[in-house]
């Protein structure tokens, strides 16, 4: 489903970045049905009114979003407005908003012989100045209401730089683990990282992480499809062995939490690093010496799976093991499961509570890092691919999300994952991945 299906469920995330031609009245109605009453990122206006500029400025000063003109607030019915309203809205916003700014206005025909439109005013985070003022007041969204910013929020808005919204795309690449001797750990096949980086409310700046909420976050990860995928990678199809689910481990403080997941197959030698480990790191602003007002979330998977058979046969991890190449399908399935976990409502809800914001305001992941311990061609099964002469190789890839894709939709998420895998292969100087991926079935 998604934008490819007019009758399917759409999301605010996808419509914030979709091409204007993708907007249809069916998708607008589907969004309204999905959101229900107004949300932090969606506002309805039945007709042009003096409050439109305040609504636009409030969305811009908070999380961005969509303001729909021609949709009733109480019944959420698409009634539409006439075409002249487009110019009236543009003139109104330009005259009332300081500095002068007009959002993108997308007219969506009601259809069925009507000459009326629903106007979608699109406010994409990071593409406008902040703060935006109306009559000298900086308005913000709080849940489903618009109100003037208090002095603290006003100070934050004026302190922002032009690139204040850019950290959503900034996710530092993970470091490969080090060996006990301090050098690179040659047993590591790869580390994959995805995560989030988004603003929090003032309420979250001054409180420690709730144990209950952190437990809920861990439970969300432990009941996600990622847990099953990690177990399968660690233990094989029989799932026989020892499992430690996501739980607190290592350095933990009031606003800095680390969770670890690990599992080993039966007969795995003690004192040997497990085949698969996963780490979740939550860092909430407000800790001593830190002044950023964002919640940073990192989810890492560290894999040492190419020598599982060798370790079990020898009873020890050898410095020169017999390695098995990792299939493209396994790698793609793991990336898909990691991203799926980060958009899972049981994970998103605790993150929203930690940030003291509405779950609808929690963004989707914007990038993924894959860092490999050896060249890509030595880690993955590339027998079906063709090396480009003298192209060189790579040890991974930095992969960005197409913002028009809704990662909560399984079909669109798998489309994104296959594009990432194709990019990683091309960056490694390998041809033929596009054909290989056509034969892969999405994870169930």
């Amino acid at each position: 489903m998604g934008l490819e299906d007019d009758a399917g469920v759409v999301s605010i995330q996808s419509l914030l970045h979709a091409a204007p031609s993708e907007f249809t009245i069916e998708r607008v109605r589907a969004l309204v049905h999905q959101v229900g009453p107004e949300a932090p990122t969606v506002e309805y206006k039945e007709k042009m009114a003096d409050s439109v500029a305040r609504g636009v400025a409030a969305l811009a000063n908070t999380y961005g979003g969509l303001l729909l003109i021609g949709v009733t607030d109480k019944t959420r019915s698409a009634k539409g407005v006439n075409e002249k309203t487009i110019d009236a809205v543009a003139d109104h916003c330009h005259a009332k908003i300081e500095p002068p700014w007009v959002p993108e206005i997308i007219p969506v025909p009601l259809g069925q012989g009507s000459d009326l439109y629903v106007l979608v005013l699109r406010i994409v985070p990071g593409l406008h100045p902040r703060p935006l003022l109306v009559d000298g007041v900086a308005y913000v969204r709080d849940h489903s209401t618009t109100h003037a910013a208090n002095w603290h929020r006003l100070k934050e808005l004026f302190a922002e730089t032009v690139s204040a919204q850019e950290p959503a795309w900034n996710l530092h690449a993970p470091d490969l683990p080090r060996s006990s001797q301090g050098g690179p750990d040659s047993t590591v096949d790869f580390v994959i990282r995805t995560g989030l980086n988004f603003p929090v409310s003032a309420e979250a700046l001054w409180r420690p992480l709730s144990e209950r909420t952190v437990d809920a976050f861990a439970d969300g990860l432990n009941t996600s499809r990622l847990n099953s995928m990690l177990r399968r990678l660690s233990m094989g199809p029989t799932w026989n062995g020892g499992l430690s689910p996501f739980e607190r481990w290592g350095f933990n403080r009031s606003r800095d939490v680390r969770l670890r997941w690990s599992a080993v197959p039966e007969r795995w030698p003690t004192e040997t690093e497990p085949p698969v480990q996963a780490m979740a790191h939550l860092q909430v602003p407000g800790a001593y010496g830190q002044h950023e007002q964002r919640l940073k979330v990192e989810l890492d998977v560290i894999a040492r799976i190419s020598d599982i058979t060798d370790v079990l046969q020898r009873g020890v991890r050898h410095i020169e093991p017999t390695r098995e190449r990792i299939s493209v399908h396994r790698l793609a399935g793991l990336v898909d499961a990691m991203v799926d976990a980060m958009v899972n409502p049981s994970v998103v809800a605790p993150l929203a509570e930690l940030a003291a914001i509405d779950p609808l305001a929690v963004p989707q992941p914007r990038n993924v890092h894959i860092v490999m311990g050896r060249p890509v061609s030595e880690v993955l099964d590339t027998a079906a691919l063709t090396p480009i002469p003298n192209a060189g190789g790579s040890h991974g890839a930095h992969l960005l999300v197409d913002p028009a894709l809704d990662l909560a939709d399984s079909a669109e998420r798998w489309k994104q994952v296959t594009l990432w895998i194709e990019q990683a292969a091309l960056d490694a100087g390998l041809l033929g991945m596009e054909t290989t991926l056509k034969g892969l079935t999405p994870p169930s």
Side-chain angles (χ1 to χ4, degrees):
M1 294 192 300
L3 284 179
E4 296 178 1
D5 181 359
D6 276 4
V9 175
V10 296
S11 72
I12 299 168
Q13 292 282 344
S14 60
L15 290 179
L16 268 177
H17 300 280
S21 60
E22 297 284 357
F23 282 76
T24 64
I25 194 61
E26 290 81 11
R27 287 170 184 154
V28 170
R29 287 178 173 139
L31 177 70
V32 172
H33 177 75
Q34 176 190 352
V35 172
E38 290 183 342
T41 51
V42 179
E43 185 173 353
Y44 311 128
K45 299 290 183 186
E46 184 173 355
K47 57 186 178 180
M48 172 60 199
D50 286 341
S51 59
V52 167
R54 290 199 298 270
V56 169
L59 290 169
N61 290 335
T62 316
Y63 311 113
L66 305 172
L67 192 153
L68 309 181
I69 300 178
V71 176
T72 61
D73 191 1
K74 292 184 179 180
T75 63
R76 299 185 294 279
S77 301
K79 300 295 187 181
V81 293
N82 61 47
E83 190 174 1
K84 292 182 179 179
T85 308
I86 300 173
D87 291 335
V89 169
D91 292 343
H92 168 73
C93 289
H94 187 272
K96 299 289 289 185
I97 295 176
E98 307 170 63
W101 185 76
V102 178
E104 181 181 14
I105 303 173
I106 303 171
V108 181
L110 282 184
Q112 296 180 335
S114 173
D115 59 354
L116 301 179
Y117 300 82
V118 169
L119 304 185
V120 179
L121 279 57
R122 183 158 61 173
I123 300 96
V124 181
L127 299 185
H128 51 75
R130 288 198 352 171
L132 294 180
L133 308 180
V134 175
D135 297 328
V137 177
Y139 290 94
V140 293
R141 292 285 285 176
D142 184 10
H143 299 290
S144 61
T145 62
T146 295
H147 62 82
N150 60 26
W151 70 268
H152 182 82
R153 180 62 181 138
L154 193 60
K155 180 181 178 182
E156 292 174 353
L157 286 167
F158 275 104
E160 285 183 353
T161 62
V162 174
S163 61
Q165 301 268 355
E166 291 180 1
W169 294 90
N170 293 341
L171 183 72
H172 294 298
D175 294 322
L176 288 170
R178 312 295 288 181
S179 68
S180 58
Q181 288 75 35
D185 187 344
S186 61
T187 69
V188 176
D189 297 317
F190 57 79
V191 180
I192 302 177
R193 170 175 290 176
T194 188
L196 301 171
N197 186 344
F198 59 96
V200 304
S201 73
E203 179 184 347
L205 296 177
W206 314 112
R207 67 186 187 190
L209 287 166
S210 160
E211 293 183 30
R212 175 187 56 80
T213 309
V214 171
D215 288 345
F217 174 73
D219 289 343
L221 292 175
N222 287 325
T223 56
S224 71
R225 191 164 54 83
L226 175 62
N227 181 61
S228 300
M229 175 63 70
L230 295 176
R231 290 181 67 178
R232 193 174 298 115
L233 288 174
S234 301
M235 306 178 191
T238 61
W239 283 16
N240 292 325
L243 169 67
S244 297
F246 280 101
E247 57 188 0
R248 287 181 185 259
W249 180 86
F251 182 89
N252 273 259
R253 293 295 184 268
S254 62
R255 295 181 177 89
D256 200 326
V257 166
R258 286 169 172 80
L259 308 173
R260 183 180 73 164
W261 183 103
S262 65
V264 296
E266 281 188 329
R267 300 183 294 106
W268 191 257
T270 58
E271 309 300 326
T272 301
E273 290 283 4
V276 178
Q277 291 175 300
M279 305 290 295
H281 181 201
L282 302 174
Q283 190 176 54
V284 179
Y288 179 75
Q290 298 176 357
H291 304 288
E292 293 187 71
Q293 297 163 352
R294 308 181 73 87
L295 173 58
K296 299 178 182 179
V297 185
E298 294 173 349
L299 178 62
D300 296 353
V301 171
I302 304 130
R304 299 176 175 89
I305 57 178
S306 63
D307 65 349
I308 290 180
T309 302
D310 189 81
V311 171
L312 291 174
Q313 290 176 347
R314 296 175 187 249
V316 66
R317 178 163 269 145
H318 199 267
I319 58 173
E320 294 183 1
T322 301
R323 297 187 184 276
E324 299 176 7
R325 299 293 180 93
I326 299 163
S327 74
V328 170
H329 201 187
R330 293 180 84 187
L331 180 67
L334 176 58
V335 173
D336 182 86
M338 292 179 68
V339 176
D340 182 33
M342 295 302 295
V343 298
N344 190 311
S346 61
V347 170
V348 170
L351 293 178
E353 188 170 341
L354 291 174
I357 61 176
D358 190 282
L360 283 172
V362 176
Q364 296 183 351
R366 284 285 166 253
N367 46 28
V368 170
H369 286 281
I370 301 177
V371 179
M372 295 193 172
R374 302 180 300 283
V376 170
S377 58
E378 295 180 18
V379 175
L380 295 183
D381 181 0
T382 58
L385 306 182
T386 303
I388 301 173
N390 300 317
S394 74
H395 283 70
H398 180 203
L399 309 165
L400 300 179
V401 170
D402 178 351
L405 294 177
D406 178 13
L407 300 182
D409 180 273
S410 59
E412 295 196 10
R413 184 176 61 250
W414 182 245
K415 177 181 178 181
Q416 178 64 84
V417 169
T418 56
L419 290 172
W420 281 337
I421 300 300
E422 183 181 348
Q423 176 190 330
L426 289 171
D427 288 345
L430 299 168
L431 296 176
M433 185 62 79
E434 185 176 353
T435 301
T436 299
L437 292 169
K438 288 181 179 179
L440 298 185
T441 56
S444 57

